[in-house]
Structure formats: C-alpha cells, structure tokens
Amino acid sequence: MDDVTKFATLARSEVPAGTPGAATGGDPESSHRYRAVLPMIDARHELRASFVVDRRCWGAIVLFGGGGRPDFTTADVDVLRRLPAPVAAALRRAVHRAPTDSAPGPAEAGVLLLDQDLRPLSENPAAKLWRDELAGAGAELPISVLEVAARGRRTALPAYGRIRGRSGRWLSVHASPLRGGQCPAPLAVTMHPAPAADVAEVLLLAYGLTPRERDVLARVVAGLPSRAIAMELHITAATVQDHLKSVWLVISG
C-alpha cells in the first residue's frame, strides 16, 4: 500500500529521515499507517530513518511518541538524519563478524504453520530450535520471520529472506501459502541454514567491494582462471590481479 515515509522511500531519498506530519504537509491523518497502525500501539507521532551507506540500506529505525507529547520537531529529524551513514557503516561491519557459536543446529529444516493472521498453528521440533536461534528461548515469533511471512501471504510466489541469528549464523526463511484443504489455507514457513552462495552475496556487499571487484571475485569463486576472467570482463589479466589484491587488502584489513 502506498504511504509516506516508507523505509524504502527514505532509503532512496536525499534526506533519509522524516515524519508523517512533515511528509503530508501537516496532514498526518492522510497517512494510512498513521490512522491504522499507530493507534494500535497507543502512539500519536512517528519518526523514521533508513540507515544507508554507499547507496545500500543496512537497517532502519522508527521512534514513536504517545500521550500528550508534541510531534517530533525539525531539530529531532536533523539529529536522526545525521546518523544513517555512520550507523549503516557499523551495521555493515557487523555483517562479516564470525559466528560466536560453532554448534551446527538441527540437521533438518524447521517447518512452521501460521494462520492468515500470522499466529502459529503448529511446528516441528527443528522450527523451535531455529526460532530460538533468531529470537531467544521462549520469545514470540521474530519480527524478521513475521515480515517474510507477511510478504508470503500477499503473493502467489514464495517470499524469501536471509536472516542472521543471535550466534552470527545466517538462515534462509521461506514463506508461501499452502494449497487445498482448509480455507483459508495456512501459511508454511521453512527455516534452514542459508546456502553459501546467498551468504557470499551479502558479505561482498558488507565488505564494501566495488562492482568490478565483486565481478572478479565471483568468477574466482566459480573456478575461472585469471585469463578467462579477463576475457569475460574485457580487461587484462594484470588488472584482474590488481582487483584481487584490492579485495585481499579489504577483507584481511
């Protein structure tokens, strides 16, 4: 649904922070989220920001104000608009820290069934273990899993997300509605360790490699020799080696 101050919009904006009031010219009631979502959490005001560095969004934040508090001011927005770059850089660095827990986790995929309101219906033992990895023992469903499930509920194609657990391990989460049987059909969510190729894609972005460095490294990982890489990318073999040296300095530093 179209609305103001959506995280994706802020991430593409010159000013990656804002309030519904400012974005609607002083008419926040015209925002669907302001009318429908904020009352559910007893909030009156909202301030959002996306954390962007090198044109990549690595996180977001939303602050709420309730009760008789006045709306967030332009000074509040100015404070938050200065944070995205350094916070995004810190979040990007955190992506490539090594896992703190070497435990492999369950061997099988976790399977979780949700109803149309995203409430749990049933799960296998592995699903509980993976949920604990994402949110801690006894916690509610992680918001990251609910976000993937919400996308899967709205589309005929499976929704997918890469989510990092508390130990630093990466998990793949898929969500799609089941067909047949009861109506409305439940939503199936699966959780399992992310394939190496998927994690590698995130790590290449996290290290801040240039597009050309990513191109070269992807071909090295695929097993291509320098001469073949040079031919594919229309550069010299010496340039390939220069890119690899730069990659090594970034990763080892």
Side-chain angles (χ1 to χ4, degrees), residues 166-187:
R166 296 185 305 136
S167 70
R169 291 177 295 186
W170 286 90
L171 299 182
S172 287
V173 178
H174 299 257
S176 59
L178 299 177
R179 303 301 179 195
Q182 66 188 62
C183 186
L187 191 73

Side-chain angles (χ1 to χ4, degrees), residues 48 69 73-74 78 101 110 126 138 150 172 175-176 215 228 244-245 248:
R48 289 181 161 211
R69 295 175 59 88
T73 65
T74 55
D78 286 341
D101 183 0
S172 287
S176 59
D215 288 341
L244 290 176
K245 289 176 184 176
W248 173 251

Side-chain angles (χ1 to χ4, degrees), residues 5-13 15-18 47-63 80-81 83-95 143-144 162 170 202 205-206:
T5 63
K6 299 180 77 169
F7 290 126
T9 303
L10 292 173
R12 294 189 294 265
S13 173
V15 181
L47 171 57
R48 289 181 161 211
S50 291
F51 298 137
V52 178
V53 65
D54 295 335
R55 296 189 296 180
R56 297 279 180 178
C57 183
W58 293 93
I61 188 173
V62 56
L63 306 176
L80 203 56
R81 68 184 293 188
L83 294 179
V87 173
L91 291 172
R92 185 173 66 179
R93 286 195 301 271
V95 165
I143 190 68
S144 51
R162 285 172 300 218
W170 286 90
V202 176
L205 295 172

Side-chain angles (χ1 to χ4, degrees), residues 216 225-231 234-244:
V216 170
S226 295
R227 183 168 297 182
I229 296 173
M231 291 180 63
H234 305 290
I235 57 179
T236 67
T239 302
V240 171
Q241 293 302 313
D242 288 340
H243 284 309
L244 290 176

